[in-house]
């Protein structure tokens, strides 16, 4: 347990920083994804949908509404990211002992430089994919009730007076509501995490090999840039599941029930483009989230181990 404490602390700091900095983008993404196809088409004819959503939120609810749901996001993100990074390190450490997933031989100078800039276990691409996906799947299921509340707080379809009251109402609704959308959430989060870890480690290794970092800030830049690349690739691959998840979790008319039915309804209403509503905002938020998350996580971890 003592070996996990630095990862829990670093992960918590990472989750806090990314949640507070990027909550407005999260709110905009949810508001865009919750709308109907008619309103989307009309809005796009008049002006850019994102600018319209920002204008509506600020005018009707005030600038502070861009940070609505921040408390729920922190309740979800801080423990979620903390447990994820600690679990990821445990999984990677375990897999690193297996010949199938042990890192392939690399030049000694490159390995030494990489080890200097990171204290994380080294795995093959397959090992990183498995560790990231498996760890994220477990955390995603465990934190799903907070994921549901987060999506509902960010939408304008629910009026909760307090976090405790919202949790109580959700718990009273039973397991079906507590784990509403858990399948599309897991199908989004597990591949995202697996792809992200693979791309992150590959980008970090390549950037470290291209130039020799001399200061801690250089490593933070490498970690941040690698996280942004990883977030971009993983976001593009998993956005359709994010759309389905949001529809299922915020819908009050019960039109969206289950993965298949929701996906079919989106396809009939909007076609392929319906699976990429809010993609531009998610493409802004997730790469930035990954950049902040990995840079803070590895930075704090290196500071603890210094």
């Amino acid at each position: 347990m003592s070996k996990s404490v630095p990862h829990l602390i670093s992960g918590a700091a990472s989750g806090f920083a990314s949640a507070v900095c990027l909550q407005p983008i999260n709110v905009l993404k949810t508001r865009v994804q919750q709308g109907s196809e008619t309103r989307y088409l009309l809005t796009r004819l008049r002006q850019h949908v994102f600018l319209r959503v920002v204008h509506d939120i600020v005018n009707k609810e005030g600038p502070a509404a861009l940070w609505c749901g921040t408390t729920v996001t922190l309740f979800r993100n801080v423990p979620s990211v903390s447990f994820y990074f600690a679990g990821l390190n445990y999984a990677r450490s375990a897999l690193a002992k297996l010949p199938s997933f042990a890192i392939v031989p690399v030049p000694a100078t490159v390995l030494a430089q990489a080890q200097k800039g990171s204290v994380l276990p080294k795995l093959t691409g397959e090992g990183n994919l498995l560790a990231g996906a498996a760890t994220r799947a477990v955390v995603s299921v465990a934190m799903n009730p907070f994921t549901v509340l987060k999506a509902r707080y960010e939408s304008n379809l629910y009026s909760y007076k307090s976090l405790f009251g919202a949790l109580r109402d959700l718990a009273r609704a039973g397991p079906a509501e507590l784990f509403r959308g858990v399948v599309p959430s897991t199908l989004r989060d597990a591949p995202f995490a697996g792809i992200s870890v693979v791309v992150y480690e590959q980008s970090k290794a390549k950037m470290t090999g291209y130039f020799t970092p001399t200061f801690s800030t250089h490593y933070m830049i490498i970690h941040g840039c690698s996280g942004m690349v990883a977030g971009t690739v993983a976001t593009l691959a998993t956005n359709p599941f994010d759309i389905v998840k949001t529809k299922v979790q915020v819908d009050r008319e019960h039109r969206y029930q289950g993965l298949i039915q929701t996906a079919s309804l989106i396809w009939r209403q909007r076609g392929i483009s319906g699976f990429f509503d809010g993609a531009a905002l998610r493409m802004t938020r997730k790469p930035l989230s990954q950049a902040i998350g990995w840079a803070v996580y590895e930075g704090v971890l290196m500071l603890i181990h210094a």
Side-chain angles (χ1 to χ4, degrees), residues 241-276:
F241 290 108
D242 187 58
I243 296 289
V244 174
K245 176 203 74 74
T246 301
K247 294 286 190 184
V248 170
Q249 291 179 341
V250 306
D251 175 54
R252 302 186 72 172
E253 301 173 4
H254 301 290
R255 293 183 301 164
Y256 302 102
Q257 295 291 321
L259 176 65
I260 303 300
Q261 181 178 330
T262 301
S264 299
L265 186 55
I266 294 172
W267 177 266
R268 291 198 303 271
Q269 291 175 340
R270 309 251 306 119
I272 190 64
S273 62
F275 292 99
F276 291 91

Side-chain angles (χ1 to χ4, degrees), residues 88-171:
L88 178 65
N89 180 72
Y90 178 84
R92 294 173 73 181
S93 297
L95 291 175
K97 298 175 183 178
L98 302 177
S100 300
F101 301 114
I103 189 67
V104 295
V106 295
T109 54
V110 175
L111 182 59
Q113 195 65 44
Q115 293 285 4
K116 183 180 178 182
S118 178
V119 296
L120 300 179
K122 304 298 177 183
L123 295 177
T124 62
E126 294 82 2
N128 284 322
L129 181 66
L130 177 60
T135 305
R136 187 68 248 183
V138 173
V139 175
S140 181
V141 173
M143 299 302 295
N144 195 76
F146 286 99
T147 303
V148 174
L149 283 183
K150 173 178 171 293
R152 292 181 177 180
Y153 260 96
E154 291 166 356
S155 74
N156 58 0
L157 301 177
Y158 294 81
S159 297
Y160 293 123
K161 294 181 179 179
S162 68
L163 176 59
F164 175 77
L167 280 169
R168 181 192 58 208
D169 292 345
L170 194 63

Side-chain angles (χ1 to χ4, degrees), residues 54-69:
V54 173
H55 181 270
D56 287 347
I57 292 175
V58 173
N59 273 4
K60 296 177 181 178
E61 305 171 50
L66 291 172
W67 275 269
C68 70

Side-chain angles (χ1 to χ4, degrees), residues 32 72 117 121 268:
V32 167
V72 180
R268 291 198 303 271

